[in-house]
């Protein structure tokens, strides 16, 4: 940290000693995993800075926004429509959930066999180490998988400002109607929180802001189709992760800068790994900061990740919201249309996701798919078997990995990944 932020953290109610421990672990893994990569684009310097300041300067900015009367809303899922939040001049931040913390405390309130992502959200709250949670005026939980929806009943006792949003589980007309009703309800809750009436003009502006961010990531993603890959999967993942915290305009400008640089690399035939390095499509559960274990293993075992079929990746970013409508009703419809395309494994059946994996495999000229499931995540673990069968039927190599946030299985995972990459050569 470039400045002493301790007073600010103390005022937010953080446990300073525990928070120091967290920052130390985070800093160490960032140095080992990120800064040791070779030939990184210069533009990644901005993201290194963001990560260094993620609990410092960024929190200070959010607190300044609050002082100026803006509200901060925290979310755990890409189904929370940022367009509506932006339309009310509020700021949406992702609550990371990518590291184990205060596990003992968590296991007093949640069963041990709950997925690491949910446990992590609880651990950050119970351990009082997340300045984003403590800064948020409202936290949105969404009823997606059973683990999340039941755990919100308990989280509600820890965070009084929790707003729970229902979500459909089928892509039926009834499902779409439910999503629309929930988004209208959410819009009213955001209006109540902020005191801002959201009209068509505001919605349009919100949509444009969020689309701009998505377009920047889409541009970066499409450059990863080149061989040699101009950017590592780890760095591209980081850009996706930072999209959940950063100011959207500044973020989009920074990503565009990297894309300009990558275009130069592609023109010169330069890459981060030699041409012909096995190209991996990573598919499955979202990877929140600082969950970098599997990508790090893949890219230090002779592979390069060229795309993420994930909510922290293309599933979360590939669709834009149509901003052409001129009435509130048309724009809300456009938002519902956009989010209804997200092919999360909570939907049943979920054939679009399978189509999308195949489509990405071809578009990114991948050699194999690594399916990443978090232990005890039923939606993605069960779906991974269907994905495996379908891809194998088309002779697409696939490796299914199930893991958590611990580092105990690194050796074993590395052996499996190396064997898979060997097969692809
Ligand atoms: S995987 Fe599903 S529940 Fe998780 S963030 Fe994505 S959409 Fe939300
Ligand atoms: S990883 Fe799976 S179990 Fe965990 S919150 Fe996401 S969908 Fe639910």
């Amino acid at each position: 940290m470039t400045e002493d932020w301790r007073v600010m953290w103390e005022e937010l109610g953080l446990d300073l000693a525990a928070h120091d421990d967290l920052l130390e672990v985070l800093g160490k893994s960032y140095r080992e995993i990120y800064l040791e990569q070779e030939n990184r684009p210069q533009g990644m310097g901005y993201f290194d800075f963001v990560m260094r300041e993620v609990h410092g300067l960024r929190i200070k900015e959010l607190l300044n926004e609050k002082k100026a009367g803006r509200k901060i809303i925290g979310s755990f899922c890409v189904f929370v429509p940022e367009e509506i939040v932006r339309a009310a001049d509020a700021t949406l931040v992702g609550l990371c959930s990518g590291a184990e913390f205060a596990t003992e405390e968590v296991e007093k309130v949640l069963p041990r066999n709950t997925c690491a992502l949910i446990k992590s959200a609880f651990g950050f709250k119970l351990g009082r180490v997340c300045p984003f949670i403590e800064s948020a005026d409202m936290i949105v939980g969404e009823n997606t998988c059973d683990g999340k929806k039941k755990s919100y009943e308990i989280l509600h006792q820890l965070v009084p400002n929790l707003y729970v949003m229902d979500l459909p589980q089928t892509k039926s007309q009834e499902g779409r109607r439910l999503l629309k009703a929930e988004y209208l309800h959410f819009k009213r809750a955001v209006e109540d929180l902020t005191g801002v009436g959201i009209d068509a003009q505001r919605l349009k502006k919100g949509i444009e802001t969020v689309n701009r961010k998505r377009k920047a990531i889409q541009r970066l993603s499409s450059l990863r189709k080149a061989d040699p890959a101009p950017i590592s999967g780890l760095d591209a993942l980081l850009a996706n992760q930072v999209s959940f915290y950063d100011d959207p305009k500044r973020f989009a400008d920074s990503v565009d800068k990297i894309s300009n640089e990558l275009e130069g690399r592609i023109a010169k035939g330069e890459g981060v790994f030699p041409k012909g390095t096995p190209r991996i499509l990573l598919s499955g559960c979202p990877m929140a900061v600082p969950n970098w274990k599997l990508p790090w293993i893949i890219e230090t075992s002779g592979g390069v990740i060229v795309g993420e079929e994930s909510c922290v990746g293309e599933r979360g970013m590939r669709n834009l919201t149509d901003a052409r409508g001129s009435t509130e009703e048309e724009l809300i419809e456009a938002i519902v249309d956009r989010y209804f395309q997200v092919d999360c494994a909570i939907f049943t059946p979920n054939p679009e996701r399978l189509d999308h994996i195949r489509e990405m495999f071809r578009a990114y000229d991948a050699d194999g798919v690594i399916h990443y499931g978090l232990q005890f995540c039923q939606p993605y673990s069960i779906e991974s078997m269907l994905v495996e069968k379908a891809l194998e039927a088309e002779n697409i190599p696939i490796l299914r990995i199930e893991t958590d946030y611990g580092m105990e299985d690194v050796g074993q995972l590395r052996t499996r990944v190396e064997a898979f990459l060997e097969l692809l050569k």
Side-chain angles (χ1 to χ4, degrees):
M1 296 283 160
T2 51
E3 209 178 296
D4 191 2
W5 302 110
R6 302 184 78 78
V7 177
M8 176 177 80
W9 294 330
E10 203 161 15
E11 281 172 6
L12 282 171
L14 298 194
D15 175 337
L16 290 186
H19 186 244
D20 284 348
D21 291 346
L22 175 73
L23 288 191
E24 200 185 310
V25 175
L26 237 164
K28 187 169 175 281
S29 52
Y30 194 78
R31 279 191 301 279
E32 287 173 4
I33 294 177
Y34 273 91
L35 302 182
E36 287 196 3
Q37 296 179 94
E38 282 172 19
N39 206 8
R40 297 176 76 207
Q42 280 188 359
M44 285 310 293
Y46 171 74
F47 292 90
D48 293 339
F49 172 74
V50 171
M51 284 312 291
R52 247 192 341 265
E53 287 295 340
V54 71
H55 280 199
L57 197 57
R58 184 63 186 134
I59 298 299
K60 181 86 175 76
E61 287 178 347
L62 295 180
L63 296 179
N64 286 346
E65 288 189 26
K66 278 163 77 96
K67 268 192 207 142
R70 295 171 60 121
K71 300 290 181 191
I72 310 299
I73 298 180
S75 75
F76 296 109
C77 172
V78 296
F79 269 109
V80 179
E82 188 173 357
E83 293 88 337
I84 292 178
V85 174
R86 293 273 159 208
D89 282 336
T91 295
L92 188 74
V93 288
L95 301 172
C96 40
S97 318
E100 274 177 1
F101 209 83
T103 310
E104 250 179 57
E105 290 303 303
V106 175
E107 288 178 357
K108 285 182 196 154
V109 295
L110 286 176
R112 280 193 72 190
N113 58 355
T114 305
C115 91
L117 204 144
I118 298 173
K119 280 170 128 176
S120 169
F122 274 68
F124 276 55
K125 178 65 204 169
L126 287 168
R128 292 190 288 123
V129 292
C130 178
F132 288 95
I133 295 181
E134 306 306 332
S135 311
D137 298 290
M138 181 200 259
I139 291 178
V140 187
E142 17 47 55
N143 287 340
T144 48
C145 65
D146 287 349
K148 271 189 170 180
K149 85 176 92 144
K150 292 308 286 181
S151 68
Y152 291 139
E153 293 172 18
I154 301 166
L155 191 65
H156 211 100
Q157 297 160 13
L158 306 172
V159 284
N161 54 352
L162 183 72
Y163 172 93
V164 177
M165 177 188 283
D166 209 5
L167 279 186
Q169 318 249 302
T170 59
K171 295 266 173 100
S172 57
Q173 276 314 309
E174 291 75 17
R176 193 186 175 287
R177 270 200 291 277
L178 171 64
L179 190 65
K180 183 175 173 192
E182 285 298 317
Y183 281 2
L184 287 172
H185 198 265
F186 178 61
K187 176 174 166 281
R188 282 193 293 276
V190 173
E191 286 174 328
D192 287 347
L193 177 78
T194 57
V196 174
I198 301 174
D199 56 16
Q201 211 189 350
R202 284 183 162 274
L203 276 175
K204 226 177 168 57
K205 220 174 115 221
I207 292 173
E208 278 159 5
T209 305
V210 186
N211 275 352
R212 161 92 176 89
K213 168 165 100 169
R214 291 181 187 136
K215 277 185 199 154
I217 281 283
Q218 287 175 0
R219 181 178 167 214
L220 176 73
S221 301
S222 75
L223 296 171
R224 298 166 70 193
K225 291 176 181 166
D227 187 14
I231 184 169
S232 68
L234 273 165
D235 279 338
L237 172 67
L238 188 68
N240 272 289
Q241 289 175 331
V242 166
S243 73
F244 290 88
Y245 308 100
D246 202 2
D247 169 76
K249 175 163 186 328
R250 182 173 63 197
F251 171 82
D253 291 346
S254 310
V255 173
D256 275 344
K257 254 191 211 151
I258 297 187
S259 294
N260 294 341
E261 195 182 336
L262 299 191
E263 276 170 0
R265 282 188 170 188
I266 294 169
K268 286 188 260 169
E270 282 174 10
V272 274
F273 296 100
K275 196 174 165 62
T277 297
R279 299 165 65 83
I280 297 298
L281 174 68
L282 201 55
S283 169
C285 286
M287 289 180 167
V289 169
N291 178 9
W292 302 309
K293 178 173 76 174
L294 185 59
W296 170 68
I297 291 174
I298 295 170
E299 296 202 324
T300 51
S301 297
V304 56
I305 299 163
V306 292
E308 299 78 23
E309 189 278 320
S310 159
C311 289
V312 183
E314 200 151 313
R315 192 184 310 127
M317 287 288 182
R318 77 173 184 275
N319 299 314
L320 300 178
T321 302
D322 188 344
R324 286 171 305 176
S326 51
T327 64
E328 195 182 311
E329 172 66 14
E330 282 169 352
L331 294 165
I332 288 285
E333 284 287 338
I335 293 173
V336 176
D337 280 344
R338 188 262 166 203
Y339 284 88
F340 204 51
Q341 292 179 63
V342 175
D343 46 14
C344 171
I346 58 147
F347 283 98
T348 179
N350 193 25
E352 292 94 346
R353 177 163 170 247
L354 194 52
D355 292 342
H356 190 229
I357 297 172
R358 290 191 190 103
E359 193 187 303
M360 279 187 79
F361 176 80
R362 296 198 172 101
Y364 289 82
D365 201 14
D367 299 305
V369 175
I370 295 189
H371 190 285
Y372 162 73
L374 270 175
Q375 241 165 33
F376 308 123
C377 166
Q378 286 172 352
Y380 283 92
S381 298
I382 295 178
E383 202 159 284
S384 72
M385 321 259 298
L386 300 170
V387 171
E388 182 180 60
K389 269 212 178 110
L391 296 191
E392 277 176 357
E394 293 176 41
N395 291 324
I396 297 177
I398 169 163
L399 172 70
R400 280 197 298 130
I401 299 273
E402 233 181 74
T403 184
D404 57 16
Y405 295 163
M407 296 305 269
E408 299 77 26
D409 59 353
V410 165
Q412 186 214 357
L413 289 180
R414 192 176 288 283
T415 308
R416 292 185 60 205
V417 167
E418 279 171 357
F420 183 64
L421 293 172
E422 213 35 58
L423 200 93
L424 302 181
K425 279 182 187 160

